[in-house]
Amino acid sequence: MEDPQRPAPPPPAPRRPPPGPSPDSHTSDVLQQIMAITDQSLDEAQARKHALNCHRMKPALFSVFCEIKEKTVLSIRGIQEEGPPDDQLMRLDNMLLAEGVCRPGKQGRGAAAAAASTATPGGCPNDNGLEHSDYRAKLSQIRQIYHSELEKYEQACREFTTHVTNLLREQSRIRPISPKEIERMVGVIHGKFSSIQMQLKQSTCEAVMTLRSRLLDARRKRQNFSKQATEVLNEYFYSHLSNPYPSEEAKEELARKGGITVSQVSNWFGNKRIRYKKNMGKFQEEATIYTAKTAVDSPKVRGLGSQASCPSMPSSSASGPFPLTSSGGALTALQTLASLRPAPGVGGLLSQARGGWRGKRRSTASLVGDPSSVTPDASN
DNA sequence: TGCTATGATTCACT
DNA sequence: AGTGAATCATAGCA
C-alpha cells in the first residue's frame, strides 16, 4: 500500500513545461520512466515527477491505476478485516478496573462491556478495607504513570493520524488514494497504537501484581513472633494441654500479652495442636520446660483462661484463682526437674492428646469453674 | 545452599 | 464459626 514515510509530495504541478519527458512521449516510455523513478536521485526524481504530472496521458493513466488499485485493495481488505483479538485487551481492562487503576469511564474499547459483565470480587484492596497505606501509595503512583502514558499514546496517535491523513490527502492528487483507503489507514494506525496501549496495560497489570504480592501477601511478610509472644502462647498451651482451646477472651488476652493479633493466636494454636499431636516426642522437652515454668509462675498463666471468664475473680491473690492446682503444678515441676523426666502430668496429657482433643472437646465455658481440667497436673 | 521451624492459607468437616 | 489437616512460603541456621 502507500508509504506514509515517503518525502512530502511535490506541490501541485507547475504550469510551465518541466524537464524530462515531453508531453508527447509514448505511454510505454512514460511507464518505463515511472518504473525507473526509484533508481534516481531525489532531485532527479522530483523533476521527473513534475514532468510526469504534466503529461497529457496522466489523467488516463491515473484512472487506470485507480481501477487496478481498487481491485488490489479489495483483495487485501478481506485479509485485514478479520476479527481483532480483543479478548486479552478486555481481560487487561477488566483487571485494571478491578485493581482500581482505571476508572469505568476511562478505558479502551471492550472495557465497558467487561466492567459491566464481570464483578470484581476482592480486587481492590480498598474494598476489603485493608489498611495498606504503602500499597495504596504505590498503586497511586502506578495509576498516575499509567494515565500519563496512556494520554501520551493517545495524543501521539491523534497527531500521527492527522499527519498521515494530511499526507495521504495531499498525495491523492498525484496517486490513486481514495477516502476509504485513508479511513482504512487510520484504522491501521489505531490498531498499531492500541497494541502499544495493550503492552502498557500489560506492564501495568504486572506492576500491580508484583506490588500486591510484595505488600499484600501476608505469606511473604511472615515474621517469627517475639520471644515474649511465643512464651505467652506456649505457657498457655502447656498449662491447658488437656484442652488447648482458648476462649475468645483468652485469645484476646494472649494476643494483648504477646503483642500479636487474635487471629495470629488462633493460627498459632491451630498449628501448635497439629504439630504437637504429630510429633509429641519432639515437644516433650518443651512441654517439660513450660510446665515447670507455668508451675512456678502459675497465677500469671492460669489467670488467662479464667480471668476473662471470671473477671470478678481476683487473680492477683497470693494463691491465684486455683490454689490447689498451682501448688500441685509446682510440685510436679520440681519433681520433673529433679528426675529429668517428663512430668507425670505431662505424660498423662500426652496420652490425652494422642487420643485426640477433638473427640472429647468440651466447650470452653464449661472449663470455667473446673480448674482441675485446665492444669497439666490435673490428670494426676 | 539445603534443611528445619514456623506463621499463614486453604479446604473439608462438624 | 471453629477446627484439623495439608500445604505454601519465608525466616533462620548450620
Side-chain angles (χ1 to χ4, degrees):
Chain A
M1 206 147 111
E2 295 77 19
D3 182 3
Q5 311 285 2
R6 272 191 194 172
R15 294 283 169 238
R16 65 186 167 77
S22 77
D24 298 325
S25 56
H26 198 267
T27 312
S28 59
D29 290 341
V30 175
L31 288 173
Q32 256 184 350
Q33 285 175 40
I34 292 171
M35 297 300 283
I37 210 161
T38 50
D39 299 331
Q40 295 171 329
S41 72
L42 199 62
D43 286 342
E44 279 177 328
Q46 290 282 56
R48 185 62 50 84
K49 272 199 278 186
H50 283 238
L52 287 168
N53 217 20
C54 298
H55 197 277
R56 65 183 173 81
M57 293 295 286
K58 191 230 168 180
L61 282 169
F62 195 84
S63 71
V64 171
F65 282 150
C66 282
E67 206 174 306
I68 293 168
K69 188 162 182 195
E70 190 60 32
K71 282 179 189 164
T72 318
V73 167
L74 274 172
S75 66
I76 293 168
R77 197 178 298 163
I79 302 163
Q80 283 183 337
E81 286 181 359
E82 275 170 21
D86 260 356
D87 280 6
Q88 203 188 348
L89 188 61
M90 230 160 99
R91 274 199 298 275
L92 290 172
D93 277 330
N94 200 30
M95 193 192 145
L96 290 173
L97 188 67
E99 295 297 335
V101 174
C102 63
R103 292 176 290 277
K106 178 108 177 158
Q107 323 158 70
R109 54 209 169 119
S117 65
T118 317
T120 56
C124 179
N126 294 339
D127 297 342
N128 289 344
L130 296 173
E131 290 177 9
H132 295 278
S133 57
D134 214 23
Y135 172 83
R136 282 207 296 273
K138 292 217 160 61
L139 186 67
S140 168
Q141 279 179 15
I142 290 177
R143 193 186 299 135
Q144 255 183 333
I145 293 167
Y146 170 76
H147 285 301
S148 95
E149 289 297 307
L150 201 64
E151 182 55 38
K152 273 187 210 165
Y153 283 132
E154 278 169 1
Q155 196 181 335
C157 182
R158 277 194 301 271
E159 281 173 7
F160 191 67
T161 305
T162 310
H163 174 73
V164 170
T165 310
N166 290 339
L167 205 66
L168 290 177
R169 276 194 193 129
E170 207 161 314
Q171 287 202 349
S172 68
R173 277 181 288 191
I174 53 162
R175 59 194 187 98
I177 304 171
S178 66
K180 267 193 177 177
E181 271 179 77
I182 297 176
E183 213 175 283
R184 206 173 310 125
M185 179 56 95
V186 169
V188 169
I189 293 167
H190 284 176
K192 297 282 177 199
F193 271 89
S194 78
S195 79
I196 296 171
Q197 277 189 8
M198 188 141 94
Q199 280 173 27
L200 172 69
K201 285 175 182 179
Q202 185 119 36
S203 315
T204 309
C205 282
E206 279 165 17
V208 173
M209 285 289 98
T210 310
L211 192 66
R212 278 185 77 87
S213 68
R214 271 204 200 142
L215 297 179
L216 294 185
D217 192 346
R219 283 183 182 185
R220 291 184 185 276
K221 287 202 299 181
R222 191 186 79 78
Q223 268 192 329
N224 288 351
F225 292 160
S226 64
K227 203 171 173 232
Q228 159 83 6
T230 314
E231 282 197 355
V232 167
L233 293 167
N234 272 316
E235 280 175 19
Y236 187 97
F237 182 81
Y238 288 110
S239 67
H240 296 77
L241 207 49
S242 64
N243 196 61
Y245 297 88
S247 65
E248 203 55 39
E249 290 87 351
K251 282 180 190 171
E252 279 167 21
E253 182 73 359
L254 287 166
R256 194 183 58 74
K257 290 197 167 179
I260 55 178
T261 67
V262 172
S263 54
Q264 280 178 309
V265 172
S266 298
N267 284 339
W268 188 91
F269 272 89
N271 286 325
K272 190 72 179 182
R273 282 190 296 264
I274 291 289
R275 285 159 187 169
Y276 180 83
K277 214 170 163 182
K278 268 189 182 170
N279 194 353
M280 287 178 199
K282 199 182 86 180
F283 288 99
Q284 268 198 13
E285 196 185 346
E286 193 181 72
T288 309
I289 291 165
Y290 279 103
T291 306
K293 216 170 147 77
T294 308
V296 170
D297 197 16
S298 53
K300 187 180 106 189
V301 176
R302 286 204 182 72
L304 273 177
S306 53
Q307 243 177 355
S309 307
C310 309
S312 59
M313 188 102 52
S315 61
S316 56
S317 68
S319 55
F322 313 117
L324 267 174
T325 54
S326 296
S327 54
L331 182 63
T332 311
L334 287 172
Q335 284 170 342
T336 306
L337 288 169
S339 64
L340 287 174
R341 281 186 296 123
V346 172
L349 288 161
L350 287 182
S351 57
Q352 263 193 17
R354 258 180 219 113
W357 293 297
R358 192 85 199 212
K360 36 183 171 176
R361 239 176 94 204
R362 282 177 293 170
S363 73
T364 321
S366 70
L367 289 171
V368 179
D370 180 13
S372 62
S373 67
V374 297
T375 47
D377 48 341
S379 60
N380 210 11

